[in-house]
């Protein structure tokens, strides 16, 4: 059990660093961040949105994936169930914000950390295409 918790804490820290790096990246390319780690009142049943941003007038829901190696292509890092949850919580968010008339999309930002190097960042727009 001790090993499990140590592994979880490590991946949790990696995830937070990845989200911080993704937020800085998105700001550099002109996105305006309006939310982080957004959940609904029902908890994680609908899921969680890592970052909500505005790209011009378009709402962008961003899933962040952080890794310590590039063994798997980042585009394959999101499973179909996660996509379904993202769609549900994105719809919930749009209703809560009163933004149902706005266009929106789902992006992914992948971060690969290598010891002693700058992280590699990959931005995939419209992951539902």
């Amino acid at each position: 059990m001790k090993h499990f918790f140590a592994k979880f804490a490590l991946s949790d820290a990696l995830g937070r660093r990845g989200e911080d790096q993704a937020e800085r990246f998105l700001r550099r390319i002109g996105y305006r961040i309006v939310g982080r780690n957004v959940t609904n009142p029902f908890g994680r049943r609908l899921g969680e949105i890592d970052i909500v941003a505005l790209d011009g007038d378009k709402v962008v829901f961003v899933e962040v994936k952080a890794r310590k190696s590039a063994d798997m292509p980042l585009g394959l890092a999101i499973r179909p169930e996660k996509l379904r949850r993202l769609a549900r919580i994105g719809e919930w968010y749009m209703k809560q914000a009163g933004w149902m008339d706005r266009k929106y999309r789902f992006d992914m930002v992948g971060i690969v950390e290598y010891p002693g190097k700058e992280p590699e960042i990959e931005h995939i727009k419209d992951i539902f295409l």
Side-chain angles (χ1 to χ4, degrees):
M1 282 297 224
K2 192 173 186 179
H3 178 16
F4 170 77
F5 290 117
K7 184 177 179 184
F8 178 77
L10 177 66
S11 65
D12 194 39
L14 176 63
R16 275 193 304 276
R17 279 194 318 273
E19 288 176 3
D20 291 344
Q21 292 165 342
E23 181 176 340
R24 284 191 299 273
F25 167 79
L26 292 169
R27 286 182 191 278
R28 272 196 313 268
I29 63 171
Y31 288 41
R32 188 166 64 99
I33 307 302
V34 296
R36 273 203 46 192
N37 304 116
V38 175
T39 58
N40 66 351
F42 305 108
R44 296 191 181 264
R45 193 169 70 195
L46 280 183
E48 177 186 61
I49 301 169
D50 294 329
I51 298 174
V52 181
L54 296 175
D55 179 13
D57 63 348
K58 186 177 280 189
V59 180
V60 182
F61 300 108
V62 181
E63 177 68 9
V64 179
K65 292 294 182 186
R67 300 279 187 265
K68 288 232 174 243
S69 72
D71 293 342
M72 177 189 351
L74 288 169
L76 300 176
I78 303 176
R79 298 176 189 264
E81 176 57 30
K82 179 65 175 183
L83 290 173
R84 284 190 286 278
R85 285 175 173 260
L86 285 172
R88 286 194 302 262
I89 195 163
E91 181 179 354
W92 171 85
Y93 186 92
M94 295 297 285
K95 286 178 185 173
Q96 296 302 308
W99 289 349
M100 291 304 291
D101 59 329
R102 293 180 111 170
K103 292 185 180 198
Y104 64 95
R105 71 171 189 261
F106 295 84
D107 289 4
M108 185 188 86
V109 173
I111 310 286
V112 181
E113 288 188 352
Y114 296 105
K117 294 184 177 180
E118 285 294 311
E120 287 183 11
I121 299 174
E122 181 178 357
H123 181 199
I124 302 172
K125 292 184 179 183
D126 286 322
I127 59 175
F128 278 91
L129 289 179

